[in-house]
Amino acid sequence: MYKTPCSRLSGLVGIGVKQKLAQNVPRCHQTARSLILLHRRDPSRWLTYQHLNFLKRQYVTKNNSELHQRAVPRQAPPALIIVDERDDSVERQVHRIPTLDPVVTDSVLQPEDVTSNKQPEISTAKPTAEEVAAQSDSVSGTVINSNETPHVHAETEEAKEARLDRQWKQLKVDVGDLPDVYAKLAKIKLTALVVTTAAAGYAMAPVPFDPIIFFVACLGTGLASSTANTINQYFEVPFDSNMNRTKNRPLVRGQISPLHAVSFALACGVPGLTLLTLAVNPLTGFLGAINIFLYTCCYTPLKRLSISNTWVGALVGAIPPIMGWTAATGSMDLGALLLGGFLYCWQFPHFNALSWNLREDYSRGGYRMMSVTHPGMCKRVALRHSLGLIGLSTIAPVLDVTTWTFPIISLPINLYISYLAFRFYRKGDRNNARKLFFCSLWHLPMLLLLALTCKKPRKDPEEPASIALALPS
């Protein structure tokens, strides 16, 4: 049958395509096999989600930029490790020489037992394979059936309990222990500091003091802080277990279930934000909700992604005094921003000095802190913001928040913390970091107390009218 040139050309093209496909098929199979081998060889570099069960288990996202670490169970000290030689696995590894009298029928060996056993005759002939197998079977059976006491020191019950107490174990909590567990979930000391700064912001506001609003504002701020701290611990259970500073938290030790912890967070957050919104004012409630969002959804994940988490955390700490000011005045004035600036600058020497001595801990947990990834920046930022406290104290009387006495009487403590920050910047050792941290603990309450004593007198709006009426016409 005659074929046209077009049909011949199409046939040649089809044959060429077939050959190309036949050549590419083995490459495709090889590529697929290589990808499968790569996944099996290093599965931790792939994006995985563990236990996507929202309220029962913690899910952790892993990728190439994170530190892939695993929690290793704590090993017992070598001196307390006991090897029982009567174990079959040990018998297969250690060759034991049988005793002369392996079969013992009584606790006391009788003389006739020794005489009754015949000594094996010495033969010069080469033993056969069957004899060697039978002899090995008899030796192993003799060793296993022997009641000989192994030459090891038995562990007493007291030593065993002491060893187990030093190891990690899940704790059971009683109803009477729940207040202590709730206090740890809420980070009661940190929450007390947050409430104190909010109270200082309320007291510094140029309005009459209302004790009821003051109490409600402090209560709502404390409940909002407890919610944020609890959710933070809920998300960081796998990472807290790798750090010595956080490995004894209730969720890590199993004292409380994740569902119980989330329920506690909701039980604090819902009434806390309701009180701030309805009983105080909507602006304060909005700031409380923003603070919970920043702490749980921005600061918490950023701790394992970027060093910018420190600046976000400082912003979270600066909001509570602003909430106190807005609770008193209902507006966000320059005085509120000034108090927030005090807290913002103070947190850098405080936290950078704290994290400097916890670098190993943060590294094990996979947290990207300045002290771990950028130690030089960590020292510079602490010094820079310590000097910023002096500038903010000078601006306070300009904004009519305090009198001109405040910059003068606060200068000694501001200079002292700046001096310690400078020594920390120059030497960068643990001793100077510790001194700067402990100085920051008393510096903040002293600074707020001095600002409160130098508070600008409140201007009564009715005072000019009364003076005008008193003047003669």
Side-chain angles (χ1 to χ4, degrees):
M1 184 176 180
Y2 176 74
K3 295 184 179 179
T4 62
C6 294
S7 61
R8 290 180 181 178
L9 181 61
S10 62
L12 292 175
V13 171
I15 293 173
V17 171
K18 274 186 185 179
Q19 292 177 354
K20 289 291 184 181
L21 290 176
Q23 293 176 1
N24 290 334
V25 166
R27 294 181 182 178
C28 295
H29 286 300
Q30 185 179 1
T31 305
R33 284 197 300 269
S34 63
L35 290 176
I36 293 173
L37 289 176
L38 178 62
H39 176 68
R40 290 179 179 176
R41 186 181 305 165
D42 194 5
S44 62
R45 290 185 176 275
W46 290 68
L47 189 64
T48 60
Y49 292 92
Q50 301 177 356
H51 307 297
L52 281 176
N53 193 352
F54 176 64
L55 294 181
K56 292 299 292 182
R57 293 189 180 274
Q58 172 69 43
Y59 65 88
V60 182
T61 305
K62 301 175 181 176
N63 51 34
N64 293 331
S65 63
E66 292 184 349
L67 299 176
H68 305 287
Q69 299 177 353
R70 301 291 185 271
V72 180
R74 186 174 179 179
Q75 300 293 334
L80 296 178
I81 296 177
I82 296 175
V83 179
D84 192 354
E85 295 181 357
R86 289 173 293 186
D87 190 5
D88 294 340
S89 61
V90 180
E91 292 293 343
R92 286 192 295 268
Q93 298 175 6
V94 182
H95 177 69
R96 292 187 58 184
I97 301 176
T99 57
L100 293 177
D101 302 310
V103 179
V104 180
T105 57
D106 198 0
S107 60
V108 179
L109 187 63
Q110 301 297 331
E112 55 269 21
D113 295 336
V114 179
T115 57
S116 62
N117 294 331
K118 296 181 180 181
Q119 298 293 334
E121 296 181 357
I122 301 175
S123 177
T124 58
K126 186 176 181 180
T128 61
E130 292 80 9
E131 293 175 353
V132 172
Q135 184 178 1
S136 62
D137 292 339
S138 63
V139 169
S140 61
T142 301
V143 173
I144 294 175
N145 296 329
S146 176
N147 292 328
E148 181 185 358
T149 303
H151 299 283
V152 293
H153 294 88
E155 185 181 23
T156 61
E157 292 294 333
E158 292 78 6
K160 183 178 180 181
E161 292 180 1
R163 176 170 59 85
L164 292 177
D165 286 339
R166 288 192 296 269
Q167 296 179 354
W168 187 94
K169 60 180 180 180
Q170 184 176 359
L171 298 179
K172 300 298 182 181
V173 64
D174 298 329
V175 178
D177 298 332
L178 283 179
D180 183 58
V181 173
Y182 291 154
K184 291 180 180 178
L185 287 177
K187 298 180 184 177
I188 193 65
K189 294 181 180 179
L190 179 60
T191 299
L193 176 63
V194 170
V195 173
T196 301
T197 56
Y202 189 96
M204 289 294 297
V207 293
F209 183 79
D210 189 345
I212 298 178
I213 299 297
F214 173 78
F215 174 77
V216 173
C218 291
L219 179 61
T221 304
L223 291 175
S225 175
S226 301
T227 299
N229 292 328
T230 303
I231 297 176
N232 169 262
Q233 293 184 53
Y234 170 77
F235 282 119
E236 292 186 340
V237 170
F239 311 101
D240 288 344
S241 61
N242 293 329
M243 300 174 58
N244 293 327
R245 188 172 65 95
T246 57
K247 66 182 180 181
N248 291 322
R249 285 179 174 176
L251 282 172
V252 178
R253 299 299 298 270
Q255 289 180 287
I256 193 172
S257 66
L259 179 60
H260 194 164
V262 173
S263 301
F264 171 73
L266 292 176
C268 292
V270 172
L273 294 179
T274 303
L275 285 175
L276 292 176
T277 304
L278 301 180
V280 183
N281 54 61
L283 178 60
T284 307
F286 174 74
L287 290 175
I290 287 294
N291 217 19
I292 294 176
F293 173 78
L294 287 176
Y295 191 76
T296 58
C297 299
C298 297
Y299 171 70
T300 299
L302 277 177
K303 289 166 69 175
R304 293 178 298 278
L305 298 177
S306 171
I307 61 173
S308 60
N309 69 84
T310 307
W311 281 268
V312 178
L315 182 62
V316 172
I319 291 180
I322 300 178
M323 293 173 60
W325 184 286
T326 57
T329 62
S331 60
M332 190 181 302
D333 305 323
L334 293 178
L337 299 179
L338 175 68
L339 294 177
F342 277 125
L343 266 296
Y344 182 84
C345 289
W346 171 84
Q347 286 178 90
F348 286 96
H350 170 77
F351 180 74
N352 287 12
L354 171 65
S355 64
W356 188 264
N357 291 336
L358 297 174
R359 286 176 291 176
E360 295 82 3
D361 237 13
Y362 283 121
S363 180
R364 280 193 298 268
Y367 294 120
R368 297 182 180 273
M369 300 298 176
M370 276 190 289
S371 58
V372 178
T373 59
H374 299 74
M377 181 185 295
C378 177
K379 296 182 289 184
R380 290 195 303 270
V381 170
L383 176 60
R384 186 185 310 148
H385 287 82
S386 298
L387 295 174
L389 292 172
I390 302 177
L392 290 176
S393 300
T394 308
I395 297 175
V398 178
L399 300 178
D400 286 337
V401 179
T402 64
T403 61
W404 283 100
T405 310
F406 174 68
I408 299 174
I409 63 175
S410 64
L411 185 62
I413 62 173
N414 288 334
L415 286 177
Y416 183 67
I417 194 173
S418 300
Y419 166 72
L420 293 180
F422 178 74
R423 290 187 58 182
F424 172 62
Y425 168 74
R426 289 294 300 272
K427 297 184 178 181
D429 55 359
R430 292 180 176 272
N431 186 29
N432 286 286
R434 190 179 301 109
K435 289 181 180 179
L436 178 60
F437 171 72
F438 283 112
C439 174
S440 65
L441 293 180
W442 59 261
H443 176 271
L444 180 65
M446 181 66 69
L447 184 68
L448 294 178
L449 183 61
L450 292 177
L452 186 60
T453 55
C454 299
K455 175 183 174 181
K456 198 72 175 285
R458 180 173 59 88
K459 296 180 180 180
D460 194 352
E462 297 180 357
E463 184 177 355
S466 60
I467 293 176
L469 293 175
L471 291 175
S473 58

